[in-house]
Amino acid sequence: MPTINDVARAAGVSPSTVSYVLSGRRPISAETRARVQAAIAELGFHPHAGARALASSKTNVLALVAPLRVDVNVPVIMQFATAVVTAARSFNHDVLLLTKDEGTAGLERVAHSTMVDALILMDIERDDVRLPAIRTLKQPSVLIGLPADHAGIACVDLDFEAAAALALRHLAGHGHRRIGLIGASPAVYRRQTTYADRFLAGFLRASHELELRTTTHPCEPGADGVRAALADLDTALPGLTALVVHNEEALRPLLDLLHAAGRRVPEDVSIVAVCPRDVATAMPVDLTSIDIPAHDVGTIAVETAMRLLDNRRVDFTRLLEPRLVERDSCREISPSHR
Amino acid sequence: MPTINDVARAAGVSPSTVSYVLSGRRPISAETRARVQAAIAELGFHPHAGARALASSKTNVLALVAPLRVDVNVPVIMQFATAVVTAARSFNHDVLLLTKDEGTAGLERVAHSTMVDALILMDIERDDVRLPAIRTLKQPSVLIGLPADHAGIACVDLDFEAAAALALRHLAGHGHRRIGLIGASPAVYRRQTTYADRFLAGFLRASHELELRTTTHPCEPGADGVRAALADLDTALPGLTALVVHNEEALRPLLDLLHAAGRRVPEDVSIVAVCPRDVATAMPVDLTSIDIPAHDVGTIAVETAMRLLDNRRVDFTRLLEPRLVERDSCREISPSHR
DNA sequence: TGATTTTGTCGAAGCGCTTCGACAACTGCC
DNA sequence: GGCAGTTGTCGAAGCGCTTCGACAAAATCA
């Protein structure tokens, strides 16, 4: 492996000049620059990351803390991760992958040992135990999610409260008055994962404001969980005409179940799903949905981290406006059914 | 951030002594060790990763090259990634996540700049363009998959040829003689992704040896793709009594389709799936399946990398024996149907 | 008891890079 | 023509750690 000294010798300059060619931090004449670059190319020189980190206190690495348990939502998590890695590369950074299981220890390990410049955390809970920890780190963090006490911490996410309101407004606009919510799995609520909490809060508030009859139910994974949830909703709110589904896993079994029961979508039941676009369109009925913009959220998270590293201004709370795409799962309800 | 010098001063020893306490490479008296460890704990000292990498030429980081496009198989990829990260941590290593999209450039970047000690590559193609590249790296690589020319490269995977044979033997043992294969998506075969290739090869060979009537068909994603594949299989081999499915995505639509057509599983059609256990048991019918042992494969890949780093012996080709678990999707066929 | 090995610690060199200060050679301006 | 500012380059220090050789003290052996 050639070093910067080898390059310097080959180009007939000092090592510092090579460094300045690389970083552009000082003016270098065109001829010298060309000679240096030729030497770099010829020797196949790549700066040693460790040496660079030691001298400059920058690693050009971001930590991504992902919930790697094989949980619900795997494809969505993957979308976030993909977006983060791609965006990081566009800023010439790499991504170190941590699991959420490691908890606080993992964060502190990579931060204290100066392996990363900044951290991006997913799957944030309402009172996430990691929050106190990241507040003490010298590296900046960006959360994908919105915990209760987020003062001074950069957060990015879809505005799930607004999303719930949007779903209800859409259905109300189509004449629906009795609407059920199929929520995330109980485990997700138990952890108080913020997107689920916030969606539910928005749902309840909008339901009240729009004067709708609604009921909500979490939903265990698997067909049986969906069956139970649906039964409970039907009991609590007989004659409901629409469902909001905030649970990717449940969509498929739900449609199967409705089909088996002879309840047509959208003729008998309208559905608004909250899920990635490709999930919505991979169902037997193309679902009217509110997209989870994983790509945008991941990209913005990285951009925010970069701005923080440059000491530039950032919006500490960045909630993306939800967008509803009409497809084939909602229909105008006739006044007689209202 | 305290440095090793701060620790040394606090403990009243030299920095090298602290280093030896940390690494255990030289004997240190119990009292000294205790003093040093107390100082480390009190100051909250964490060695600087870059400095360490520079001095020792070890980073304690593994690169994981994953196909992060949102493709088929997302949950399976996640299982591999989880296993790799967990196993890496158990060897005190972290994982740098690269996307396959970056191709050869990504590998060379992290290897040449000495960011990682070893690399683990997923989604290997028959004549993978990355192979020549990794052969030139000073860091060892471990492949999850088995390319055509794997001489001198460590490879770990399920033995997909044996898996295909096992599936056919199982069905033949139940009296089936006319069997169709629903394969991966055409894109996967086009790329000559090795697991698909090898499964197909094993299927054809075993079919011949067992003197079965078989036909095979790739399967586009989505319900329409499955419908087309099934129609083609029925045309090519009328009266088939069993299906082998090597395509997680296709399973659900396939079962729906069979159900809609009034073909019962297993009464009218037996099925053997090749997929992770949890996928097999999440279907309307619990599927007899051959597990894709993502966890074991990922763990072994990391172990192999570690052995390579220690210059210990490794099996360069490690193909895990497939295991078939009987569930509810296969049945003995009556002689009259044979 | 003297020679030899083992144990425990230290000092210094060096890993490969960035960055600061210095300085020579120009350029522009009154 | 003299002074101030640019431009372009160099040398040296230093980032925080590991590791090698040295060496004193203690343990082992003949």
Side-chain angles (χ1 to χ4, degrees), chain A residues 22-40:
Chain A
L22 251 25
S23 69
R25 294 183 163 284
R26 289 218 178 156
I28 297 290
S29 70
E31 310 95 275
T32 306
R33 196 181 319 125
R35 275 214 318 287
V36 169
Q37 276 160 348
I40 288 176

Side-chain angles (χ1 to χ4, degrees), chain B residues 78-135:
Chain B
M78 203 73 159
Q79 289 186 24
F80 280 111
T82 305
V84 168
V85 172
T86 309
R89 285 301 308 138
S90 78
F91 288 99
N92 195 29
H93 279 241
D94 276 289
V95 172
L96 199 72
L97 183 61
L98 304 185
T99 70
K100 198 188 167 197
D101 303 339
E102 271 206 89
T104 295
L107 304 180
E108 294 183 330
R109 181 167 47 79
V110 299
H112 288 153
S113 61
T114 326
M115 299 183 78
V116 302
D117 292 338
L119 301 94
I120 295 183
L121 318 206
M122 298 176 55
D123 200 35
I124 304 298
E125 298 169 18
R126 192 171 183 293
D127 300 295
D128 205 295
V129 293
R130 297 170 295 178
L131 289 188
I134 64 170
R135 286 206 155 91

Side-chain angles (χ1 to χ4, degrees), chain A residues 96 102 119 136 141 156 201 254 289 325:
Chain A
L96 200 71
E102 272 205 89
L119 301 93
T136 70
S141 295
V156 186
L254 174 65
S289 75
V325 178

Side-chain angles (χ1 to χ4, degrees), chain A residues 108-294:
Chain A
E108 293 183 331
R109 181 167 46 79
V110 299
H112 289 153
S113 62
T114 325
M115 298 184 77
V116 303
D117 293 337
L119 301 93
I120 296 183
L121 318 207
M122 298 176 57
D123 200 35
I124 303 298
E125 298 169 20
R126 192 171 183 293
D127 300 294
D128 205 295
V129 292
R130 297 170 295 179
L131 289 187
I134 65 170
R135 286 207 155 91
T136 70
L137 301 181
K138 67 164 194 261
Q139 290 94 339
S141 295
V142 178
L143 309 187
I144 294 182
L146 189 69
D149 173 16
H150 55 268
I153 300 188
C155 301
V156 186
D157 208 350
L158 175 65
D159 188 339
F160 279 97
E161 290 202 37
L166 178 56
L168 283 183
R169 272 207 309 280
H170 183 76
L171 289 169
H174 281 62
H176 295 272
R177 288 289 168 272
R178 303 172 79 83
I179 304 174
L181 168 65
I182 293 187
S185 84
V188 169
Y189 290 106
R190 224 175 292 127
R191 297 206 309 266
Q192 300 193 290
T193 308
T194 70
Y195 63 84
D197 264 16
R198 285 151 48 214
F199 192 85
L200 183 57
F203 187 91
L204 296 175
R205 162 136 24 98
S207 164
H208 181 73
E209 288 172 5
L210 296 168
E211 302 182 343
L212 302 172
R213 302 285 309 276
T214 63
T215 183
T216 68
H217 212 278
C219 179
E220 294 277 7
D224 292 342
V226 180
R227 191 189 324 277
L230 187 57
D232 285 350
L233 289 179
D234 279 328
T235 308
L237 196 65
L240 58 78
T241 62
L243 291 171
V244 175
V245 185
H246 185 204
N247 185 327
E248 286 91 9
E249 295 287 297
L251 283 170
R252 189 62 191 235
L254 174 65
L255 292 173
D256 291 349
L257 228 55
L258 291 172
H259 181 77
R263 295 163 82 175
R264 293 159 303 166
V265 176
E267 289 79 357
D268 303 316
V269 187
S270 288
I271 293 181
V272 174
V274 181
C275 65
R277 185 185 316 281
D278 50 316
V279 173
T281 57
M283 297 288 149
V285 179
D286 272 5
L287 298 177
T288 292
S289 75
I290 296 175
D291 190 31
I292 296 185

